[in-house]
Amino acid sequence: MIEGILVEGLIYSILALGVFVSFRVLDFPDLTVEGSFPAGAAAGAMVASALNLSPNHFAKALAVPAGMLAGFFAGGVAGFATAAVYHRLKVPALLAGIVTMTGFYSINLRILGGKPNLPLIVNNPMLNLARTFTGGLLPPDLSLLVACALVVLLIFGVLVLFFHTEIGIAMGALGDNENAVIQAGIQPGNLRTWGIMLANALPGLSGAMAAAYQGFADVNLGQGVVAAGLATVMLGELVVRSQFISVQLLRVILGSIIFRALMYAARSWGYIAGITPNDLRLLTALLIIASVAVSRYGRKRR
Amino acid sequence: MIRVNDIVVSFGIGGGQEHTVLKKLSLVVERGQTVSIIGSNGAGKSTLLNAVAGTVPVRAGKIFLDNADVTAMPEWQRALYVGRVRQDPLAGTAGDMTVLDNLALAARKGPRRFRLATPPKFAREMEGKVAQLGMGLEQRLKENVSRLSGGQRQALTLLMAVLSRPSVLLLDEHTAALDPANAEMVGGLTRKFIAEFELTALIVTHDMKRALEQANRVVMMHEGEIIADLLGAEKEKMDVAGLVRLFKRARGAEYAEDRDLLS
Ligand SMILES: Nc1ncnc2c1ncn2[C@@H]1O[C@H](COP(=O)(O)OP(=O)(O)O)[C@@H](O)[C@H]1O
Ligand SMILES: [Mg+2]
């Protein structure tokens, strides 16, 4: 149980990190994630399944990592589409995201070969990879957890480094005050495009991992992920206050684990309060409202 | 050097409410010259600075900075030549980033690289620069800019505007939103930085006394036109009372015209 929550929390924290980049760093309310997350799942499943069928052991071993890379790029492409619509047509961010998200539903179906879902052939390929990785020294659940933790740690480290580089600082300033970025002689549109691509590449990667974890990709995997990501980001902000980007990124991961734990609790023991799995979306919405309300109240009190 | 040739700036084009603010305005500012721009509200002073910086497009005419024709350049590209401070202390800085990060953003103009933005060497260098502001901000480099007072934030914005040694400095009533003590302090820093960095500057102000003190040339605008341009001996002889008289004469001419039309 606890391993399940942690693994899910870690996998979906990568999605939430993308939501953090768009909503918080870039101040760009991006709904593309509803398309880029399943795009990552679809591309990841397709690549992983193809490599899984390969007789070459090396290719087989690389099936899931290659799928994750494919998911990362698929998400980035979705982000690029949104950025292009936003900058070329000068439409609001929300509309640009809706356009991409809608278009990607069909694109994702095409990636999945016209079917609404695609199994990854081998049962739980993620687990198989994780076990090869830890050399069978750890029990299966634990080795999966270790593998996910390593991936998240790597992404966290790279993001912390990135946001301390010149480009990262400029990206942070862009969401804060675009004029300050323009005064620095930086083309704001290009910078925002890279940012939006990153904000969707991460969910793409997350989608590929989720598909590998559950053993199949589904075209409807994206439904509600923006809200889930936002709830995660806000939960983290509620728990830890900080102006430091490293802590802000870390609390997203923490928020993701808390969010998954809450969802797990609602699924397992919600029946006591009459909560069914159908109510989980409502719960997510209430969680967002509660987070906003509490942080408003807290800010006033300070 | 700034060369503005017969620029025309209009607002509301195509909307039926067309309003031409700058009517074939020309102005040449030599390298190292500091020019005060004064004039009534709505005279077009901010619009002139916006046109030079590329914030508003010109309908006709040309703008040169350091002999480069920048008329068609977008604002971010022109920023390579231009440092700017506006009236609003929030306008030039990113509030949710640290003082040091803001300085890193402003220290160099142009595209960024994957390189550590604020290495220790840079932080030490900035400590010295920020100490020149005399506000103790060198102790607060790691604090978010939103925690600074309006005066501190405007002083920081001024430092950010000159840090990369731009060829042109544009200041638009940059002390107007500050209390008198802070206005005096930022005004003093402005003179100091212009001298130290040998900047070419356009300074819009409604404070006639400061306009005369801070610059070696005073330009008076009215309804989108330059109605007086005082330089050299003429400027040295001028005092606040003289400026007010000049101003009244311009307004008076307009009243006289109105009377002619009515009679
Ligand atoms: N963005 C804008 N859109 C429409 N009209 C504007 C805009 N900016 C300035 N104006 C108009 O241009 C005129 C000159 O304004 P401005 O340059 O701000 O004057 P000043 O700075 O000398 O007080 C005013 O009539 C103002 O209403
Ligand atoms: Mg003005």
Side-chain angles (χ1 to χ4, degrees):
Chain A
M1 174 203 116
I2 186 85
E3 283 96 339
I5 291 173
L6 287 175
V7 166
E8 270 191 33
L10 287 170
I11 289 178
Y12 284 92
S13 74
I14 302 172
L15 160 85
L17 286 169
V19 172
F20 172 79
V21 169
S22 53
F23 277 75
R24 289 294 188 258
V25 177
L26 296 170
D27 196 17
F28 186 91
D30 189 12
L31 302 183
T32 314
V33 184
E34 303 254 334
S36 53
F37 182 78
M46 192 198 63
V47 168
S49 312
L51 289 179
N52 250 328
L53 289 174
S54 156
N56 184 331
H57 282 288
F58 187 63
K60 228 180 170 106
L62 280 179
V64 173
M68 284 160 60
L69 207 61
F72 186 80
F73 280 108
V77 169
F80 181 81
T82 297
V85 170
Y86 176 78
H87 286 120
R88 304 257 166 239
L89 303 183
K90 309 220 180 313
V91 297
L94 287 174
L95 182 57
I98 288 173
V99 167
T100 308
M101 169 188 126
T102 307
F104 260 76
Y105 189 85
S106 299
I107 294 175
N108 293 342
L109 272 172
R110 273 192 184 270
I111 299 176
L112 292 172
K115 294 180 298 268
N117 53 54
L118 178 73
L120 264 73
I121 314 290
V122 189
N123 266 342
N124 211 338
M126 186 82 161
L127 185 59
N128 289 348
L129 172 76
R131 295 193 72 180
T132 357
F133 197 72
T134 52
L137 289 174
L138 297 169
D141 284 6
L142 217 54
S143 53
L144 184 59
L145 182 58
V146 168
C148 287
L150 283 177
V151 171
V152 171
L153 193 69
L154 178 72
I155 289 168
F156 169 73
V158 169
L159 284 178
V160 169
L161 270 182
F162 171 71
F163 283 116
H164 283 92
T165 65
E166 292 181 355
I167 295 179
I169 294 267
M171 213 175 259
L174 183 63
D176 199 342
N177 183 354
E178 179 170 348
N179 180 52
V181 174
I182 292 173
Q183 295 312 318
I186 301 168
Q187 214 268 1
N190 286 345
L191 189 62
R192 191 181 291 105
T193 299
W194 285 112
I196 297 171
M197 285 172 72
L198 174 66
N200 284 285
L202 291 170
L205 172 63
S206 178
M209 286 172 78
Y213 175 61
Q214 55 190 31
F216 65 93
D218 191 308
V219 75
N220 293 315
L221 216 53
Q223 275 182 21
V225 290
V226 172
L230 261 182
T232 298
V233 169
M234 289 175 167
L235 268 176
E237 288 167 354
L238 212 58
V239 180
V240 187
R241 277 181 196 281
S242 175
Q243 63 164 56
F244 296 108
I245 187 75
S246 47
V247 181
Q248 289 176 351
L249 291 165
L250 196 62
R251 75 184 175 192
V252 173
I253 300 167
L254 192 66
S256 180
I257 293 167
I258 298 174
F259 180 73
R260 289 296 144 187
L262 286 176
M263 288 295 132
Y264 183 88
R267 259 188 319 234
S268 315
W269 302 298
Y271 65 89
I272 302 170
I275 297 171
T276 73
N278 295 340
D279 297 325
L280 291 184
R281 290 280 173 83
L282 180 62
L283 229 56
T284 305
L286 291 176
L287 210 57
I288 293 177
I289 292 171
S291 304
V292 173
V294 171
S295 67
R296 280 276 156 75
Y297 176 66
R299 205 165 294 152
K300 251 186 228 145
R301 220 176 22 174
R302 255 196 309 166
Chain B
M1 190 212 67
I2 308 169
R3 189 142 48 92
V4 173
N5 278 354
D6 290 332
I7 59 165
V8 178
V9 174
S10 307
F11 291 108
I13 302 170
Q17 292 270 316
E18 195 174 307
H19 172 39
T20 298
V21 175
L22 299 182
K23 301 149 189 161
K24 290 199 133 208
L25 186 137
S26 296
L27 178 70
V28 178
V29 181
E30 296 303 336
R31 199 189 175 83
Q33 200 170 49
T34 303
V35 181
S36 286
I37 302 180
I38 56 176
S40 48
N41 279 333
K45 307 181 294 292
S46 297
T47 304
L48 171 61
L49 261 57
N50 283 337
V52 171
T55 319
V56 299
V58 298
R59 258 177 108 173
K62 289 220 168 291
I63 296 169
F64 297 85
L65 297 176
D66 278 356
N67 287 323
D69 183 351
V70 301
T71 318
M73 275 188 199
E75 190 178 5
W76 66 269
Q77 225 165 11
R78 274 194 230 187
L80 301 179
Y81 302 88
V82 176
R84 263 190 116 170
V85 185
R86 296 172 213 221
Q87 183 172 343
D88 178 5
L90 308 182
T93 46
D96 289 336
M97 301 207 334
T98 64
V99 173
L100 193 58
D101 286 350
N102 271 278
L103 288 165
L105 188 66
R108 191 171 58 76
K109 302 254 192 189
R112 305 291 135 146
R113 277 170 269 182
F114 283 114
R115 200 168 61 182
L116 203 60
T118 56
K121 182 167 166 279
F122 177 78
R124 276 197 301 277
E125 195 186 319
M126 286 304 120
E127 251 173 52
K129 297 269 185 206
V130 172
Q132 289 182 32
L133 301 179
M135 304 177 121
L137 288 184
E138 62 276 14
Q139 316 288 339
R140 303 174 64 183
L141 289 180
K142 292 281 166 79
E143 259 181 68
N144 274 6
V145 168
S146 58
R147 297 175 60 103
L148 306 184
S149 72
Q152 289 169 333
R153 196 157 170 174
Q154 199 67 326
L156 175 66
T157 310
L158 181 66
L159 176 60
M160 285 167 65
V162 299
L163 202 54
S164 63
R165 296 177 169 268
S167 30
V168 170
L169 181 64
L170 305 176
L171 307 174
D172 192 351
E173 310 221 20
H174 69 305
T175 61
L178 307 178
D179 62 64
N182 272 315
E184 191 56 47
M185 187 268 311
V186 172
L189 285 171
T190 305
R191 266 183 304 239
K192 175 179 142 73
F193 283 138
I194 288 175
E196 182 185 333
F197 293 90
E198 297 170 338
L199 297 168
T200 309
L202 284 185
I203 313 179
V204 174
T205 177
H206 56 245
D207 183 335
M208 303 231 189
K209 185 159 161 284
R210 187 167 292 147
L212 286 166
E213 284 169 6
Q214 73 194 358
N216 29 43
R217 182 175 169 192
V218 177
V219 165
M220 186 182 283
M221 284 181 69
H222 184 62
E223 299 199 329
E225 285 174 41
I226 292 174
I227 55 167
D229 189 346
L230 310 168
L231 171 87
E234 214 181 353
K235 185 252 160 185
E236 297 312 321
K237 276 195 313 214
M238 186 56 68
D239 55 10
V240 172
L243 284 178
V244 172
R245 236 178 289 126
L246 256 179
F247 196 60
K248 280 205 175 124
R249 201 186 302 155
R251 303 275 299 245
E254 178 193 330
Y255 290 142
E257 267 171 40
D258 285 351
R259 270 200 297 278
D260 288 348
L261 282 173
L262 286 172
S263 61

